Amino acid sequence: MTLVSYSRNLKILYETPKDIPVEFKLDRKKLREKFEAEYFKNNSILSEDISKKIINAYGIGITKPQPAYSESEAVNIANKIGYPVVLKILSPDITHKSDVGGVVLNLNDEALVAASYKNMVKNISRNFPDAKIQGISVQPMYDIKDAVELILGIKKDPIFGTVILLGMGGTCTELFQDKRLCFPPVNERIARQMIESLKICPVLKGYRGSPPKNIDKLIETIIRLSYLAADYPEIDELDINPLLVTPKDVVALDARIVINLSLVGKNIPQFSHLLIHPYPEKYVRPAKLSDGTDIILRPIKPEDEPMWLELLGSCSKESIYFRFRTNYFFDSHEIATQFCYIDYSREMAIVAEITENNNRKLIGVGRLIIDPDHETVEYAILITDKWQNKGLGNILTKYCMEISKEMGLNA
């Protein structure tokens, strides 16, 4: 049974993921510099408002809390955003707000908002005299009909580094312990596997008349959090709970980030907090062929398997022979995994991508294979017959030699 289990897990590991494009409107490097300068040096526990700003910058939907420092201000904000509303205590000393009466839901008029504000501040001040109460946040009440509450987060393990958690959310998170862990970086296949391994998955897919939830949007959200986890080694914990998954959207109703202040401002080796090296985006760059065709040079990824097979299918037998030194049989998933699923710290494959009739295609690939001692590297190149004699071989070779030099290798 051990071999059967191993074979099954290996098959799951090498399933071809769907290509879910994740775009960022902002420069993540500049964004990181801004957050580090403005938010990371004051408190180890970031407020809900700041935590939501950070995750929202990575494209994760949020409800926007507005701080109120008096009953009248809370009422004015509620009237402005519309009823029903939610009140939450603002305090850096209170982590789990609902456990201490720091959350009041579904308030429908001014009187309820004013009374809830007064009672919340009074009760928490009495029960937790040492807690610093900054005020109350006011935000719209989301309709939770046909929605599922999940928890999505980041946790730094002392041995394995940063891990991502997904599970049943809300107030029953600790009770049912329905959760799964994975190592970033996360692609579509890993995210979908996490979701399908949860006991609550049938509810997400639609159960007993309930409409199916937007699982593709949830997968995209997990992938976006994976990027955030890779970019911020200073984050010890990040909790989005609840993460509301509806038939149409995915929204973070609450968020909390814990920063390791001892790491702020330090020169930390890139991705040293991750067990697996993420996709090397720094090697994505535009280029132009001798005939003026625009191309994108970038590292290969597992989602490229269909385009990689199409690339080889567009080559003549002679081109295949000159590349592999044999009449190579490549048209199988098992073979493709050897070339599309790679460890970027031990191997690098740079593909040339074009867009033709609104379809993305690969027209060439240069591959660096690093020796076990990480000292020397072998290089191979393949270009489809149609795109030969256009300068692509020279472009790929120069770029791959540049990458090998950056890695400190002898080509």
Side-chain angles (χ1 to χ4, degrees):
M1 286 304 296
T2 301
L3 289 176
V4 171
S5 178
Y6 173 77
S7 176
R8 185 183 297 118
N9 290 337
L10 204 61
K11 184 178 179 181
I12 293 172
L13 179 66
Y14 286 119
E15 285 179 2
T16 306
K18 285 168 51 182
D19 190 9
I20 296 182
V22 176
E23 298 177 353
F24 294 94
K25 298 179 181 179
L26 299 174
D27 186 324
R28 301 209 319 268
K29 185 177 179 181
K30 290 183 178 179
L31 195 68
R32 172 187 162 74
E33 292 172 356
K34 175 176 182 276
F35 287 150
E36 185 177 8
E38 295 182 8
Y39 303 136
F40 287 6
K41 296 181 179 179
N42 300 322
N43 298 302
S44 60
I45 301 178
L46 305 186
S47 68
E48 177 189 355
D49 183 39
I50 294 173
S51 299
K52 282 185 173 180
K53 282 182 181 178
I54 293 173
I55 66 172
N56 188 235
Y58 276 71
I60 298 174
I62 62 168
T63 56
K64 297 182 179 179
Q66 298 186 41
Y69 305 103
S70 66
E71 296 173 35
S72 60
E73 192 174 359
V75 169
N76 290 336
I77 293 172
N79 287 334
K80 183 178 179 180
I81 64 178
Y83 296 96
V85 297
V86 177
L87 299 189
K88 294 182 181 180
I89 194 70
L90 283 178
S91 172
D93 302 314
I94 298 175
T95 301
H96 301 290
K97 306 177 187 70
S98 58
D99 292 350
V100 299
V103 179
V104 182
L105 307 174
N106 210 26
L107 301 175
N108 288 299
D109 57 49
E110 295 182 6
L112 285 173
V113 170
S116 298
Y117 186 106
K118 181 178 180 180
N119 291 334
M120 186 186 296
V121 172
K122 179 181 177 182
N123 292 336
I124 292 179
S125 298
R126 182 179 66 247
N127 296 328
F128 302 92
D130 295 332
K132 181 182 178 182
I133 299 176
Q134 299 170 334
I136 300 288
S137 71
V138 185
Q139 56 189 281
M141 175 74 188
Y142 249 75
D143 184 7
I144 61 173
K145 181 183 178 183
D146 294 328
V148 174
E149 292 183 346
L150 297 179
I151 180 173
L152 179 63
I154 296 170
K155 179 76 173 179
K156 187 176 285 185
D157 183 86
I159 298 176
F160 296 106
T162 297
V163 297
I164 290 181
L165 173 141
L166 176 71
M168 182 188 297
T171 57
C172 297
T173 300
E174 300 298 332
L175 178 62
F176 291 104
Q177 292 291 310
D178 182 19
K179 57 188 178 183
R180 292 295 180 271
L181 299 174
C182 79
F183 299 116
V186 175
N187 60 19
E188 183 270 343
R189 171 186 50 79
I190 297 173
R192 191 176 296 277
Q193 184 182 349
M194 289 180 74
I195 294 168
E196 292 180 348
S197 67
L198 295 174
K199 296 176 184 176
I200 202 173
C201 181
V203 181
L204 289 168
K205 292 183 175 181
Y207 182 71
R208 302 193 70 172
S210 174
K213 312 306 178 276
N214 194 339
I215 292 180
D216 285 343
K217 184 68 174 179
L218 175 58
I219 290 171
E220 180 189 334
T221 301
I222 298 171
I223 294 173
R224 289 184 178 277
L225 188 74
S226 170
Y227 278 95
L228 195 155
D231 289 345
Y232 292 90
E234 300 90 345
I235 294 181
D236 271 352
E237 294 181 30
L238 187 155
D239 291 332
I240 302 174
N241 186 23
L243 180 72
L244 200 67
V245 185
T246 72
K248 294 183 178 180
D249 207 358
V250 177
V251 182
L253 301 189
D254 200 355
R256 179 185 69 105
I257 294 177
V258 179
I259 298 295
N260 186 338
L261 294 178
S262 66
L263 298 180
V264 176
K266 298 291 179 63
N267 186 17
I268 305 169
Q270 190 179 33
F271 308 133
S272 60
H273 61 300
L274 302 181
L275 187 66
I276 303 171
H277 197 293
Y279 185 75
E281 290 182 302
K282 65 179 180 178
Y283 294 136
V284 179
R285 66 160 61 167
K288 193 180 290 285
L289 300 181
S290 59
D291 65 356
T293 302
D294 292 318
I295 63 172
I296 297 293
L297 301 176
R298 61 171 178 81
I300 201 167
K301 52 187 177 180
E303 292 88 338
D304 290 331
E305 181 183 330
M307 290 194 292
W308 184 84
L309 291 171
E310 184 183 354
L311 162 71
L312 268 68
S314 302
C315 293
S316 63
K317 289 184 178 180
E318 290 78 12
S319 294
I320 294 292
Y321 183 84
F322 286 137
R323 163 61 179 89
F324 297 102
R325 290 294 184 263
T326 182
N327 293 319
Y328 191 64
F329 177 77
F330 58 84
D331 194 11
S332 74
H333 172 68
E334 288 71 21
I335 295 295
T337 57
Q338 299 175 30
F339 291 88
C340 298
Y341 293 71
I342 63 174
D343 181 349
Y344 299 109
S345 63
R346 299 171 183 268
E347 186 177 356
M348 184 62 65
I350 299 296
V351 296
E353 178 187 309
I354 63 167
T355 301
E356 196 174 59
N357 299 324
N358 294 323
N359 292 320
R360 295 163 52 231
K361 295 176 64 175
L362 302 183
I363 60 173
V365 55
R367 188 172 297 271
L368 297 167
I369 304 170
I370 305 169
D371 78 307
D373 294 326
H374 213 83
E375 294 177 350
T376 62
V377 61
E378 293 182 4
Y379 175 64
I381 187 171
L382 177 66
I383 298 172
T384 59
D385 292 39
K386 178 182 175 181
W387 293 92
Q388 293 176 10
N389 301 314
K390 297 180 186 292
L392 179 56
N394 185 44
I395 292 171
L396 278 172
T397 301
K398 284 185 175 180
Y399 191 34
C400 287
M401 293 306 101
E402 180 183 328
I403 293 172
S404 68
K405 184 177 180 180
E406 182 182 323
M407 292 179 169
L409 303 167
N410 297 316

